[in-house]
Amino acid sequence: MKLGLACLVLGYLLSQFYRAFLAVLAGPLTQDLAVTPDDLALSSGLWFLVFAAAQIPLGMALDQIGPRRTTALMLGLGGTGGAALFALAQNATHIHLAMMLLGVGCAPVLMASYYIFARSFAPAVFATLAGAVIGLGSLGNILGAWPLAWASEVYGWRMALWVMAGITALVATVLWVVIPDPPRAEAPQGTKARLRDVLRIRALWWMMPLLFVNYAPAAGLRGLWVGPYMTDTFGADANLVGQATLVMAFAMIAGNFAYGPLDRLFGTRKWVILGGNLLGAAALAVLAIAPALGFWPSAMLLAAVGFFGASFPMLMAHGRSFIPAHLTGRGVTLINLFSIGGVGLLQVASGHLHRMGDGSYSLLFGFFALLLLAGCAVYLFATDRTD
């Protein structure tokens, strides 16, 4: 069990790398392939949209055939194939297709971990374990920051992606061998496990708007916009962009570990989640008002967005507490669908917004701040629950 979970963390590290590495490669890709920031916004959005679309069949697969085969096959075929296609890319269309394949490959890794936690561990520690997996796996954000910038400058971005393709294939092979399949939970006699049964849980309805917008600012900014923003506003080179993304990545890791035990410490999930997201909205508001505040002050504000935006594991724990055991796979993947789907749609929208606003980053930050505030307003009506 411990070995299998450790390897799933490695798989999730790759997932974090692939969702965030475009920010660092934006400059080289623009030079070599003539792609624009708007092209890359679409590519990044497609990764999240395909990742989200995979969650529905993924939930059924986890409940019916278990996490081992599901995760190893999807990561091995989609992840390895996507990285290889990216390394061979000659234009924006190839980048789009590669990111879509990578979205398929990365889709099962975190949910397989959450499925095992929900089926094999005490509910009270779910949020802590969920946060730890994201925190440790977010080291992929670190690899996708300064180390990738260094490797792309020294060896070229194509060679860096070929190396990542090989690593992805190796991790998928190991996962096939070591992931445990927990015992299946049977539905009550006379019933079947159906997605619509999860959709009927009204307690989840008040959480979904915040889930839709919660991760979008941190993922969108770290995954793409940090690079163009720092370059266009402060004239930052690849090395400085790598440093800024590295700081934000460390903040996101720290946030995941910080949120984990707070529900047991304060006896509430709702108010921990609400407070953190309001602080994230405040950091975005400052960036919207003063986008040219200075390189390092802006980097610190982006780090605050990453830190306070790391409440997804707590939101997942809050939602999972209302889901019956036989619907675990479908439940956690539906919650993830809203979160990742929101990132994908809003990332695509951010590209259009950036273009319509003549490259205004103030408009972009304000857009994300207002979305967070709207999600928090609906979440106020959610029912609090701890295990």
Side-chain angles (χ1 to χ4, degrees):
M1 177 70 75
K2 291 180 180 178
L3 178 60
L5 290 172
C7 291
L8 280 169
V9 170
L10 288 177
Y12 186 64
L13 185 150
L14 292 173
S15 177
Q16 285 283 343
F17 173 87
Y18 287 129
R19 75 184 63 185
F21 75 114
L22 284 180
V24 172
L25 294 185
L29 291 174
T30 298
Q31 293 173 4
D32 294 352
L33 305 183
V35 298
T36 68
D38 297 333
D39 290 328
L40 296 179
L42 177 58
S43 292
S44 179
L46 287 170
W47 187 97
F48 286 102
L49 288 172
V50 171
F51 186 110
Q55 297 302 304
I56 299 303
L58 172 61
M60 292 186 286
L62 289 174
D63 282 331
Q64 293 174 6
I65 66 175
R68 181 177 68 88
R69 286 171 291 176
T70 301
T71 306
L73 288 173
M74 291 178 71
L75 181 63
L77 297 176
T80 305
L85 178 58
F86 200 108
L88 295 168
Q90 299 298 321
N91 53 49
T93 301
H94 295 161
I95 298 293
H96 298 335
L97 293 173
M99 293 300 287
M100 292 170 71
L101 271 175
L102 287 168
V104 172
C106 296
V109 183
L110 182 62
M111 292 303 98
S113 303
Y114 284 7
Y115 180 86
I116 292 170
F117 293 155
R119 298 289 301 117
S120 305
F121 291 85
V125 298
F126 184 93
T128 299
L129 292 172
V133 168
I134 293 185
L136 293 170
S138 292
L139 290 171
N141 255 325
I142 306 300
L143 291 176
W146 182 82
L148 177 61
W150 172 82
S152 67
E153 285 190 352
V154 175
Y155 301 107
W157 60 270
R158 294 186 188 276
M159 179 57 68
L161 264 295
W162 278 118
V163 171
M164 293 307 300
I167 292 172
T168 303
L170 177 61
V171 171
T173 302
V174 173
L175 289 176
W176 178 272
V177 176
V178 301
I179 291 182
D181 280 326
R184 289 178 57 185
E186 300 298 331
Q189 191 170 5
T191 64
K192 293 183 178 180
R194 298 171 299 187
L195 178 63
R196 64 187 180 190
D197 294 328
V198 181
L199 293 170
R200 287 174 178 161
I201 302 173
R202 298 198 175 199
L204 297 179
W205 297 358
W206 299 106
M207 303 179 199
M208 292 310 183
L210 183 56
L211 275 163
F212 189 78
V213 301
N214 156 257
Y215 186 43
L221 295 173
R222 170 62 190 89
L224 174 63
W225 290 112
V226 171
Y229 164 62
M230 290 298 189
T231 300
D232 294 344
T233 308
F234 305 110
D237 59 14
N239 187 50
L240 274 176
V241 169
Q243 291 178 41
T245 54
L246 189 64
V247 170
M248 190 173 183
F250 274 121
M252 293 170 75
I253 293 172
N256 281 296
F257 283 108
Y259 271 105
L262 293 183
D263 56 343
R264 287 177 286 159
L265 182 62
F266 293 110
T268 175
R269 285 177 175 149
K270 174 179 176 177
W271 297 106
V272 169
I273 292 166
L274 197 61
N277 281 278
L278 288 173
L279 288 170
L284 285 164
V286 175
L287 283 165
I289 295 168
L293 192 60
F295 179 87
W296 283 113
S298 296
M300 292 303 105
L301 286 167
L302 288 167
V305 173
F307 182 89
F308 293 115
S311 60
F312 173 72
M314 188 70 74
L315 274 163
M316 174 65 78
H318 192 188
R320 187 219 51 81
S321 66
F322 295 97
I323 298 169
H326 69 285
L327 295 172
T328 297
R330 289 167 173 84
V332 296
T333 52
L334 178 69
I335 291 171
N336 202 34
L337 165 64
F338 272 82
S339 178
I340 296 298
V343 176
L345 290 172
L346 295 174
Q347 189 74 313
V348 173
S350 73
H352 292 294
L353 188 70
H354 182 257
R355 185 170 58 252
M356 290 168 54
D358 294 325
S360 170
Y361 292 100
S362 182
L363 186 63
L364 193 66
F365 294 133
F367 170 69
F368 283 131
L370 289 174
L371 287 172
L372 267 186
L373 290 174
C376 287
V378 177
Y379 186 71
L380 274 170
F381 298 94
T383 301
D384 201 358
R385 176 180 283 188
T386 56
D387 296 292

